[in-house]
Amino acid sequence: MTGTNHFLVGAGIGLTFSQPVAAIPLAFVSHFVLDALPHFGVEFDKKAGRRPTFFGVITKIDGLVALLLLYFAVVSQPWLVPICMIVALSPDFVWLYKFSIQEKFGKLPPAP
């Protein structure tokens, strides 16, 4: 699932629930609910020895859109909305480490 999708669901939860005690855990759980749905993914290209260029383009566009959404939420919404957006995306922060350290930015195949 793209970060933009997680951010949008987190924003929706932050706007719907006014109590942080309900909204923040629900935003966290929403991440796993979204990841259970079929979604965007790109396989490692063994022949080329890296992920396709398409993956990098999509990831950069998604990151830019997600940062813009977060910026607008911080500027225009109560504090709960940006917090829920970040919490909804937070389980994917593990992939930053895996992708940058273990896969050397997509140049090595993913570990099992």
Side-chain angles (χ1 to χ4, degrees):
M1 190 65 59
T2 62
T4 301
N5 292 339
H6 290 299
F7 265 14
L8 290 172
V9 171
I13 290 169
L15 290 168
T16 304
F17 295 90
S18 60
Q19 296 295 331
V21 174
I24 293 173
L26 195 59
F28 185 76
V29 169
S30 76
H31 180 93
F32 301 102
V33 171
L34 285 178
D35 275 355
L37 301 172
H39 59 282
F40 174 76
V42 176
E43 294 295 322
F44 185 82
D45 186 356
K46 291 180 183 174
K47 186 176 179 182
R50 61 180 172 80
R51 291 190 188 271
T53 306
F54 176 71
F55 177 76
V57 171
I58 293 296
T59 304
K60 288 174 182 144
I61 291 171
D62 177 56
L64 180 62
V65 171
L67 285 174
L68 287 171
L69 286 171
L70 184 61
Y71 170 76
F72 286 120
V74 167
V75 170
S76 65
Q77 296 298 321
W79 64 272
L80 184 59
V81 174
I83 297 269
C84 284
M85 290 170 73
I86 293 168
V87 168
L89 180 66
S90 65
D92 277 345
F93 294 158
V94 171
W95 291 108
L96 286 173
Y97 169 79
K98 184 179 183 322
F99 185 70
S100 63
I101 303 299
Q102 291 179 340
E103 295 182 28
K104 308 285 187 211
F105 296 101
K107 294 179 183 168
L108 297 175

